[in-house]
């Protein structure tokens, strides 16, 4: 099996429970990955994903190889039948088969490139590796999804919610650079698969892909959305719509998360996947408050990765 997106999870609440169990005894499955190797390929920067995925693999007894593919690998070609007389040195057809011979799982981070929406939304890089590799693929944030982060966020909400149906709000916040929709897409997808009162709030022009919005309530009124919320999940993303795909069209600082806005919530918890720009996305007073879960979220990245790798290893062993 791959862990590419939510469709690879047979039972989300079971995965969440398993991650919480692994968190109590992280070394309990240490023999599962013995003599198995995971290769982590990074086409983009990372702190949490890189270290927590390594940690998770080590907790399962695996060997880990990491490569900054974007900075140090050959530039890959993805197109069929291309005459490769330009900048690209190697085709993914060979690269994926070659890497498969060195390891048992290939984990990949490859963000949206914002060059061509179709390539991004067809998951050009991850799809090519899934097609040509002969070992399972683990998604460490692809063009349109970040399934390890979303699994982490569902684990964190499960640990902290006090109600059977919490109000969970995904809020856009301003950022000076253009960021992918991946984190927001996956959060929305996993939130829709959970028993939440789920609300998305963003300025006009920041509508997400409807396939991820699903049955969520969507509003351009952030303060209205925050009322009585139990969890405020904040993220910047760039527009999905064709006209402004991947551009920055709004940096309105009135969308920043402030203590005044948090006071509208039901003593709500503040969540963000990190990295976060302080006092642009969120005020110090909020991220430093007792209600901020950001450090605990980052810790849960290890157990989300551990449950995903465990499932893949079990599928290999069977
Ligand atoms: C990335 C993003 O928004 O997708 C990674 C977040 C986990 N963030 C930045 O590039 C700042
Ligand atoms: N949240 C997250 O994926 O962080 P990194 O980009 O640092 O890996």
């Amino acid at each position: 099996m791959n862990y590419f997106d939510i469709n690879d999870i047979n039972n989300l609440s079971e995965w969440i429970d398993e991650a919480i169990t692994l968190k109590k005894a992280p070394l309990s499955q240490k023999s599962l990955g013995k003599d198995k190797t995971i290769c982590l390929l990074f086409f983009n920067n990372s702190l949490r994903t890189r270290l927590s995925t390594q940690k998770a693999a080590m907790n399962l007894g695996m060997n880990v190889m990491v490569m900054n593919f974007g900075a140090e690998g050959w530039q890959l070609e993805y197109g069929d039948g291309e005459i490769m007389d330009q900048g690209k040195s190697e085709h993914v057809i060979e690269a994926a088969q070659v890497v498969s011979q060195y390891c048992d799982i290939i984990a990949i981070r490859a963000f949206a490139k914002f060059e061509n929406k179709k390539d991004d939304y067809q998951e050009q890089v991850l799809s090519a590796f899934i097609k040509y590799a002969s070992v399972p693929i683990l998604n460490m944030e692809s063009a349109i999804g970040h399934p390890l982060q979303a699994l982490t966020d569902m684990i964190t909400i499960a640990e902290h919610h006090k109600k059977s149906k919490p109000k969970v709000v995904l809020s856009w916040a301003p950022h000076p650079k253009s960021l992918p929709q991946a984190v927001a897409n996956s959060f929305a997808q996993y939130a829709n698969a959970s028993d939440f009162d789920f609300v998305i709030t963003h300025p006009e022009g920041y509508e997400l892909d409807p396939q991820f919005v699903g049955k969520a309530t969507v509003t351009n009124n952030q303060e209205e959305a925050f009322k009585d919320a139990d969890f405020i999940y904040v993220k910047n993303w760039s527009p999905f719509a064709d006209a402004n795909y991947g551009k920055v069209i709004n940096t309105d600082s009135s969308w920043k998360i402030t203590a005044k806005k948090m006071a509208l919530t039901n003593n709500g918890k503040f969540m963000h996947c990190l990295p976060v720009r302080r006092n642009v996305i969120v005020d110090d007073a909020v991220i430093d408050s007792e209600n901020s879960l950001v450090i605990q979220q980052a810790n849960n990245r290890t157990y989300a990765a551990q449950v995903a790798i465990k499932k893949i290893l079990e599928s290999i062993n069977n």
Side-chain angles (χ1 to χ4, degrees):
M1 70 169 276
N2 301 312
Y3 182 47
F4 173 67
D5 68 13
I6 197 166
N7 298 312
D8 297 310
I9 299 181
N10 48 355
N11 184 329
L12 179 57
S13 54
E14 224 175 82
W15 279 46
I16 293 170
D17 290 345
E18 207 166 326
I20 293 172
T21 305
L22 282 168
K23 189 175 178 177
K24 291 181 192 133
L27 301 178
S28 58
Q29 308 284 325
K30 184 100 201 214
S31 55
L32 190 65
K34 189 174 177 292
D35 298 330
K36 294 269 193 295
T37 301
I38 187 168
C39 185
L40 314 187
L41 304 182
F42 285 89
F43 290 83
N44 309 94
N45 295 351
S46 170
L47 187 165
R48 280 143 290 274
T49 305
R50 178 163 171 167
L51 296 182
S52 65
T53 310
Q54 282 196 57
K55 179 80 195 263
M58 292 189 300
N59 284 348
L60 292 166
M62 298 186 82
N63 301 310
V64 186
M65 301 196 292
V66 185
M67 181 168 176
N68 283 329
F69 208 104
E72 293 160 8
W74 301 109
Q75 283 247 351
L76 294 187
E77 176 60 61
Y78 294 91
D80 287 336
E82 289 293 331
I83 298 168
M84 290 170 55
D85 59 356
Q86 299 293 312
K88 313 280 172 66
S89 306
E90 176 156 34
H91 204 288
V92 68
I93 296 172
E94 284 77 45
Q97 294 182 75
V98 168
V99 178
S100 299
Q101 299 179 111
Y102 304 146
C103 59
D104 303 280
I105 301 174
I106 304 175
I108 303 172
R109 163 164 284 200
F111 291 175
K113 293 180 185 147
F114 294 138
E115 287 163 7
N116 176 329
K117 180 173 169 180
K118 197 162 147 257
D119 287 348
D120 289 343
Y121 271 71
Q122 286 180 349
E123 292 284 18
Q124 189 186 55
V125 179
L126 270 277
S127 301
F129 272 90
I130 287 172
K131 183 169 174 190
Y132 296 113
S134 55
V135 298
I137 302 293
L138 173 64
N139 182 347
M140 297 195 297
E141 187 173 342
S142 60
I144 66 167
H146 196 352
L148 286 174
Q149 184 65 50
L151 179 59
T152 297
D153 300 330
M154 297 306 121
I155 295 165
T156 311
I157 291 174
E159 287 177 323
H160 289 89
H161 80 75
K162 298 190 184 83
K163 284 191 212 153
S164 60
K165 194 177 169 121
K167 180 173 176 183
V168 176
V169 178
L170 168 62
S171 178
W172 183 92
H175 191 280
K177 288 165 86 173
S178 144
L179 297 186
Q181 294 105 36
V183 171
N185 286 344
S186 292
F187 185 81
Q189 192 175 36
Y190 284 62
N192 274 315
S194 306
D195 195 18
F196 300 159
D197 171 9
F198 181 46
V199 179
I200 304 176
T201 183
H202 56 70
E204 269 180 49
Y206 281 88
E207 295 72 26
L208 290 165
D209 182 347
Q211 68 166 310
F212 299 115
V213 174
K215 59 186 175 110
T217 304
V218 181
T219 172
N220 299 140
N221 185 335
Q222 193 187 34
E223 296 198 353
E224 186 60 37
F226 273 43
K227 276 184 196 148
D228 298 321
D230 299 295
F231 295 88
I232 300 292
Y233 191 93
V234 181
K235 184 69 185 79
N236 172 269
W237 63 85
S238 58
F240 165 73
D242 291 349
N244 292 309
Y245 178 68
K247 296 189 183 131
V248 177
I249 59 167
N250 189 336
T251 53
D252 181 358
S253 62
S254 74
W255 277 81
K256 183 178 61 169
I257 312 305
T258 62
K260 204 169 149 213
K261 278 180 207 165
M262 290 303 291
L264 299 168
T265 68
N266 176 31
N267 194 25
K269 303 287 189 193
F270 171 80
M271 298 178 71
H272 191 284
C273 63
L274 304 181
V276 73
R277 291 185 182 232
R278 281 174 173 255
N279 304 307
V280 175
I281 294 265
V282 55
D283 276 345
D284 287 342
V286 175
I287 194 168
D288 292 333
S289 76
E290 275 186 0
N291 284 17
S292 171
L293 297 180
V294 296
I295 305 300
Q296 295 169 58
Q297 277 173 268
N299 186 34
N300 283 339
R301 289 296 306 271
T302 299
Y303 310 105
Q306 203 168 324
V307 74
I309 296 170
K310 176 174 176 283
K311 297 286 183 188
I312 295 173
L313 285 172
E314 286 166 350
S315 79
I316 296 173
N317 290 342
N318 280 333

